[in-house]
Amino acid sequence: SEKLYTASPGLVNGLQARTFGVWTLLSSVIRCLCAIDIRNRTLYYITLFTFFLALVHFLSEVFVYHTAALTIGVMAPLMVASFSILGMLIGLQYLEVEALSQNKKKN
């Protein structure tokens, strides 16, 4: 939290830092599970949502609440979230095509 919320570090306390850490751990577990079972559409959508949530969180901290500055500590998660969203949206098309082809094989 000390490297992320550099614009107003006085507004961040230990509880918020621990909550952010648990949220990051939960997101990591969800993303690893999606990597293991990439064809699970529900898990895929949940994983995509975690990247949207991260993007909105960091953008709001920079531009709405002004608690974070655009440093490398904030730019890195913004870039990871942005590229991951883009990649997952592209990958979603392949999952839908695969689901359609499997339905045709069953019929």
Side-chain angles (χ1 to χ4, degrees), residues 33-45:
L33 290 173
C34 183
I36 292 169
D37 187 11
I38 194 93
R39 290 180 176 86
N40 184 335
R41 292 178 60 134
T42 303
L43 189 55
Y44 196 89
Y45 284 121

Side-chain angles (χ1 to χ4, degrees), residues 5 7-14 16-17 61 65-68:
Y5 304 104
S8 298
L11 295 177
V12 180
N13 61 33
Q16 291 164 320
E61 292 298 329
Y65 301 113
H66 304 290
T67 55

